[in-house]
Amino acid sequence: MIGGLFVYNHKGEVLISRVFRDDIGRNAVDAFRVNVIHARQQVRSPVTNIARTSFFHVKRSNIWLAAVSKQNVNASMVFEFLYKMVDVMQSYFGKISEENIKNNFVLIYELLDEIVDFGYPQNTDTGILKTFITQTGVKSQTSKGQLTKSQSKEETSQITSQVTGQIGWRREGIKYRRNELFLDVLESVNLLMSPQGQVLSAHVAGRIVMKSYLSGMPECKFGINDKVLMESRGKSTMDDATRTTSGKTAIAIDDCQFHQCVKLSKFETEHSISFIPPDGEFELMKYRTTKDISLPFRVIPLVREVGRQKMEVKVVVKSNFKPSLLAQKVEVRIPTPLNTSGVQVICMKGKAKYKSSENAIVWKIKRIGGMKECQLSAEIELLNTNDKKKWTRPPISMNFEVPFAPSGFKVRYLKVFESKLNYSDHDVIKWVRYIGKSGLYETRC
Amino acid sequence: MPAVKGDGMRGLAVFISDIRNCKSKEAEIKRINKELANIRSKFKGDKTLDGYQKKKYVCKLLFIFLLGHDIDFGHMEAVNLLSSNKYTEKQIGYLFISVLVSANSDLMKLVIQSIKNDLASRNPVHICMAMQCIANIGSRDMAEAFTRDIPKILVSGDTIDQVKQSAALCLLRLLRQSPDLINLGEWSSRVIHLLNDQHMGVVTAAVSLIDTLVKRNPDEYKGCVSLAVSRLSRIVTSSYTDLQDYTYYFVPAPWLSVKLLRVLQNYPPPEDAAVRTRLTECLETILNKAQEPPKSKKVQHSNAKNAVLFEAINLIIHMDSDPNLLVRACNQLGQFLQHRETNLRYLALESMCLLATSEFSHEAVKKHQETVITALKTERDVSVRQRAVDLLYAMCDRTNAEEIVAEMLAYLETADYSIREEMVLKVAILAEKYAVDYTWYVDTILNLIRIAGDYVSEEVWYRVIQIVINRDDVQGYAAKTVFEALQAPACHENMVKVGGYILGEFGNLIAGDPRSSPMVQFQLLHSKFHLCAPATRGLLLSTYVKFINLFPEIKPQIQDVLRGHNQLRNSDVELQQRAVEYLQLSTLTTADVLATVLEEMPPFPERESSILAKLKKKKPDSVKENAETKMPRPAAQVNSFPEQPHPIAMPEVHNEPNQDSADLLGLSTPVPTMNATPPKDSAAGLLVDVFDTLGAMTTTTTATNGLTPGADEGFKSGASTVVGAAGDLTEGTEQRYKEFLCKNNGVLFENDLLQIGVKAEFRENLGRIGIFFGNKTSFQFTSFTSEVSLPGELSNQLMVQANPVDPVVDGGAQKQQMLNIECITDFSEPPLLNIQFVYSGAQQRIALKLPVMINKLVESTEMDSTTFFQRWKTLSSPQQECQRIFKAQHPMDSEQTKAKLLGFGMGLLENVDPNPENYVSAGVLHTRNQKVGCLLRLEPNMQAQMYRLTLRTSKESVSKELCELLESQF
């Protein structure tokens, strides 16, 4: 259980401090500052144990969020909570910065009271929170008069019943002129490749974000090309045709996790994803795949050390997807030795520059089509040093954005049923978008 | 970094301000990476850099290094800067090198060359910078390279003062780094004369150097005493306006004065009367000045003044010769005891502790008793209170003991936990040492246990019991007191232990009173039984069995308790065994046997208090633990008695009540079991093993007689140091010397100051003896010498080579001397060991007999019965035989006798003599001139308690000598 939560600025000054349990003393605040924020060596581990107290921290821009616990708490739960907390704060006051936190500290304490109880995380859904924690304040209406007061009373009782009810994430009586929904499939590809082009490890972490503007209490059904779901469907219908088609495109999802609105009992028995969505934006599903990933780019490095004073680097980048698609924001980062004294770079496409502050050559290409190849060559001059330490050759890393899902993930259908109101599945306007991004995309050299 | 002007470096200033403006660590690292890349490209570039640029970049690198980043280039550029002629460039170069270049770098050769050039230059600034760099690096390489140059600069006539000053300090640094390399030789007198230098800075620097030199070799620098005294007197008598720059808040040259006073503390009081008077005058002046009203209210003024004063008092204490000064110092400190400043009070208490040990000022210190006691009660700082306790302990004597002990006891209730244990020990020691009336002693210790039971170590309560048992007059009182103390609803376990033991022994003395009838006593003790740890329960069980003997009327109740399941089926083996054995003992044996077995404990032999040893152990700096305290407790031996179901063996059970008392005797002595039958071989063997490891006892000591009385006498007599003329043997060493007849390792001498241990090895006619001198005090012994003399004829009979010993033995340290001995022909008198040293100003002399006896050079030989008697017969002429008939001085026990004979060195031949009672041995005495065969026969006569000892050797004098040596052993 979380014992307390502290927010620090980059200097280590405490902006927010909330202690939920007695076992966390006042000195815990200082312990974290001294041992992590002001540590001589940069602390890279997100979990630090100081004097039998665990500190879990995340950093957003210059702000440190640290959850503290004396107990053997589930670390992933704590981090999930911290990320949710960041989401909640962002949705309330935008970017997380020292200024914003200082301006909204009353609100933050109010939020903390609501989302954590005695160290146990509670409802962190922004949509719901916004119904009863408003930045203007619910009470301001009550001063108008007796009538409004009774109204607001009604309102509050409604909130209460809804929050504590079965469908806590959606209130009743929502009406839209246009029923519309947006579905984003966001994937990040992680790769580690050997210099010879052998994949050492690769996985895709994907999430499906849905934005819904639907009236009433609609029930949605969602279909994807997951092997297990498809096969079970195929079996139940005994349709050979669908089976063969599904065999081609189905993917193997290693594990997945759903928003609380998805009816898990149905998922388990009928292998169908059905839910009543919250209003507005939410993350419907998260998943991970490790098999049959189509890697959008391949990096071929060639490093040659010419004596002790010079080094030659040649990097070839190949794009490996349909020629009709365009990758964007491509950036290749080639680390240089710590005793680099000068760099000459030549590249055919894009712009490349030696960034001494980061000890790397950064090569940027705005746009690149599928099945293309571009090349960079650099000459690095080195300075003799006293240390005989050999350069460790950190991997070349890459950033990009492509308009498809590298895992092969496909949305097969999304059906909306609303029995009480008179609109059908066909009346709903649906948008689907696929974005593949690079996570840690590295090639050793 | 100041704003850029003139010679400043703009780039550097910009860089530093950039770093300071960085919002986060990441930004800082980025900026530094950028700068490093820039510097690298500059250093790499083809363009040669001018001095200014090099300086600037080296400076930046230095700054980055100081921020905590690794710098692995730029060293060469820094070395280049050294050859520049500009001050700033050279300075930055030296700075970089002394901070960044590691001592074993390849560049060091270049650096040393540059330093050499600078030392040879005419410019004093360059010389100073070079010396500063040498001192900063201070490596062995540096010391090797400049051992000649620096002293030359120091004593040369044409060096200017500032350079001399640097040279003195630089030399001091090298001296500390590699003392073996620096040898001033012919320059030592010129170094001493630096004390006369006009320039105060030179003198100050030189005094530090001289102080270190003096510590290494006091004799060579003896000349500095008079110079230091005269310099000191000039400073002390000068008015504060005289020494312009060297007057610090109206105190003339405080640092120099303090250093001079410290140098003087390396020597005994000056012998030259004039110098001595002058020094006394100086010290008086300093004491007088302390009385004057302060010239300034600033804290610096009083600090400087007091620093000089305290150092002067330290010197007075060190000299310990002038009662007048000592008393004045004491009075001065007395004033400080009430000073507002906590630090001053602390220092005053600390110095007074030293003063209290001096005979001259002891009385003067005692005057401040009231103040010290108030300090103990009211001080807020625990370290000051600790000092107050130390001082009270030091100033205590027979006249004020009662009061001081009472105060300490009263304070103990509120004392800090950190000092309680030490206080308890101190109270216990004082109470014992100065007890006039033993009822007071018993009261005090019982109070002590009541107040701070947790901190009362075993030694303390062992000691109470020892004293109560040894003194008939307090036994009744003690029994009454413990009985009353035990009536408190909650009493400490230690109290239960003491109570159990004392009531078990002397409960009968108070049984007459109906309020403390046997039954009441038993019930009182038993009410505490369940709350105690197993060890205490064991002790209480012993008490119960003793009650059976003392009060037969409550036997059934006690047997009931022993029979209870808690006892007979206790999971603790020790308790179970005790319960079973005691129960059997009480049911099976007659009252007579019971009375004999459970007789009152015999008095303990008197010995040095083990508490004192414990206190010494607690203060590691004061005393090197003597061998005894380290020894493992022999408690195991009692528990390891073989289980013997046969009732005959029951008397051994009697040992068990003594399990705790085993330790009472001290730490290493076994139980004196007067009534017990001799233990079985296994047990005896075990005991012998224990003693072998102890090394300090003769192997002949077995369980039957417990301890050789001699060992104990040696113990007691060791307490007095005899200050006498050389040649006179120090008293009380004879007994220990005799013990060495049968052993080779052990303690030869021990008193309050010194412990001398001996480890010897002999082979044929050669011997090697290691003598270990352990300083038991916390102060240095100086002028320590140890010589072996061979009186009379011995010089023709023995050859002794001795290594010299280090003249200084630090407090708590141990020094070793090795002796090589060769025996030329047989001898009768042992060589003498003369030891002299100076301890706190007083010359101490100790003369001892070295344990080298003729029997050490005898090697045993094996032979069978026929050869033995054949040889026995060939050596039958009256000159070859020596026979003595004498009465046994020790119990006639065969195991012991065997052990003694084996220790004697001639071995023991089994199955040779037709009479199995007799002992025979054979050996060869090795000397350089000849080998002498020796045969021995010892015939005991049990009825008459007599022995007949016969020795036959091929040389008359040998027979006689061996016979005499051995006779005293039986």
Side-chain angles (χ1 to χ4, degrees), chain A residues 10 39-40 42 59 62 309 338-341 354 356-359 381-387, chain B residues 23-26 29-31 33-34 37 40-41 43-44 66-68 70 72-75 107:
Chain A
H10 72 280
R40 242 188 117 58
Q42 195 185 358
K59 221 181 149 191
N62 271 333
Q309 307 254 16
L338 293 176
N339 55 344
T340 305
S341 61
Y354 168 57
S356 55
S357 61
E358 289 154 44
N359 282 324
E381 278 178 60
L382 303 174
L383 184 77
N384 281 340
T385 61
N386 300 15
D387 276 9
Chain B
K23 280 264 187 279
S24 66
K25 211 167 191 165
E26 290 76 25
I29 289 169
K30 277 189 176 172
R31 181 70 185 88
N33 279 338
K34 194 176 156 197
R40 280 195 299 260
S41 69
F43 282 170
K44 174 82 181 177
L66 294 179
L67 283 177
D70 278 341
D72 52 3
F73 64 98
H75 299 62
L107 285 172

Side-chain angles (χ1 to χ4, degrees), chain A residues 208-361:
Chain A
I208 296 166
V209 177
M210 183 170 167
K211 217 182 243 179
S212 68
Y213 301 106
L214 300 170
S215 316
M217 294 295 260
E219 172 133 14
C220 305
K221 263 198 167 170
F222 183 48
I224 54 174
N225 62 339
D226 177 34
K227 240 181 204 165
V228 184
L229 298 189
M230 304 267 284
E231 269 166 27
S232 66
R233 249 183 72 83
K235 231 181 262 170
S236 61
T237 53
M238 284 295 174
D239 186 350
D240 276 347
T242 47
R243 208 173 202 179
T244 47
T245 50
S246 71
K248 273 178 198 165
T249 55
I251 59 159
I253 288 179
D254 285 14
D255 51 60
C256 60
Q257 145 185 19
F258 296 104
H259 188 260
Q260 59 168 332
C261 65
V262 176
K263 290 169 186 159
L264 291 178
S265 55
K266 266 197 177 168
F267 178 72
E268 252 145 50
T269 53
E270 297 168 28
H271 291 286
S272 68
I273 305 168
S274 77
F275 56 94
I276 297 169
D279 195 38
E281 190 178 310
F282 71 102
E283 190 182 86
L284 176 63
M285 170 183 181
K286 275 201 274 197
Y287 61 91
R288 205 169 65 91
T289 69
T290 47
K291 286 200 190 76
D292 301 325
I293 297 165
S294 70
L295 298 168
F297 287 97
R298 163 106 207 266
V299 176
I300 304 160
L302 202 77
V303 179
R304 206 156 65 92
E305 283 175 45
V306 190
R308 290 189 54 206
Q309 307 254 16
K310 210 171 156 193
M311 211 167 84
E312 285 176 3
V313 181
K314 211 165 110 182
V315 178
V316 180
V317 174
K318 280 184 185 168
S319 60
N320 196 13
F321 45 88
K322 268 190 262 171
S324 56
L325 299 176
L326 270 183
Q328 283 181 311
K329 300 180 190 167
V330 179
E331 185 186 288
V332 184
R333 174 180 294 266
I334 304 150
T336 55
L338 293 176
N339 55 344
T340 305
S341 61
V343 177
Q344 276 90 46
V345 212
I346 309 162
C347 61
M348 298 297 130
K349 202 169 159 64
K351 277 181 191 163
K353 205 178 162 191
Y354 168 57
K355 287 210 169 169
S356 55
S357 61
E358 289 154 44
N359 282 324
I361 298 169

Side-chain angles (χ1 to χ4, degrees), chain B residues 378-571:
Chain B
T378 55
E379 275 298 342
R380 261 178 299 164
D381 189 329
V382 62
S383 57
V384 182
R385 290 197 295 261
Q386 165 93 56
R387 291 285 147 255
V389 172
D390 288 349
L391 179 53
L392 280 179
Y393 179 69
M395 68 160 70
C396 189
D397 63 13
R398 207 168 283 281
T399 56
N400 55 7
E402 219 157 301
E403 193 183 343
I404 285 182
V405 168
E407 289 294 347
M408 280 169 92
L409 263 182
Y411 173 64
L412 197 55
E413 288 191 64
T414 50
D416 303 78
Y417 297 108
S418 52
I419 61 172
R420 274 196 190 177
E421 191 179 351
E422 203 188 312
M423 274 192 79
V424 166
L425 285 175
K426 285 184 167 162
V427 170
I429 290 167
L430 290 179
E432 185 192 331
K433 203 165 164 191
Y434 301 116
V436 194
D437 175 7
Y438 276 90
T439 56
W440 172 74
Y441 170 73
V442 171
D443 278 343
T444 308
I445 300 292
L446 290 182
N447 252 335
L448 196 63
I449 295 175
R450 188 177 53 76
I451 294 169
D454 285 340
Y455 300 91
V456 173
S457 54
E458 307 227 296
E459 286 84 354
V460 174
W461 72 263
Y462 289 173
R463 192 68 191 155
V464 190
I465 288 173
Q466 279 182 30
I467 286 175
V468 170
I469 288 187
N470 288 5
R471 303 209 158 250
D472 302 336
D473 45 336
V474 286
Q475 289 166 352
Y477 179 78
K480 190 163 151 276
T481 326
V482 289
F483 179 76
E484 277 160 14
L486 281 175
Q487 276 171 332
C491 54
H492 195 269
E493 196 162 332
N494 280 339
M495 183 67 97
V496 178
K497 286 180 186 165
V498 176
Y501 199 102
I502 290 184
L503 289 181
E505 295 293 329
F506 311 115
N508 54 340
L509 298 179
I510 56 166
D513 192 332
R515 280 169 301 174
S516 55
S517 68
M519 198 57 207
V520 176
Q521 284 186 33
F522 172 65
Q523 277 166 350
L524 180 63
L525 280 178
H526 199 59
S527 67
K528 316 279 181 200
F529 185 86
H530 304 280
L531 304 170
C532 295
T536 315
R537 289 192 194 187
L539 190 145
L540 285 179
L541 286 179
S542 306
T543 305
Y544 296 167
V545 79
K546 288 222 158 192
F547 274 167
I548 293 183
N549 177 40
L550 290 179
F551 317 120
E553 65 268 28
I554 58 167
K555 186 171 171 180
Q557 285 91 331
I558 292 175
Q559 282 178 332
D560 279 348
V561 168
L562 290 177
R563 217 173 276 131
H565 281 237
N566 270 339
Q567 267 55 268
L568 282 189
R569 301 201 178 161
N570 199 306
S571 57

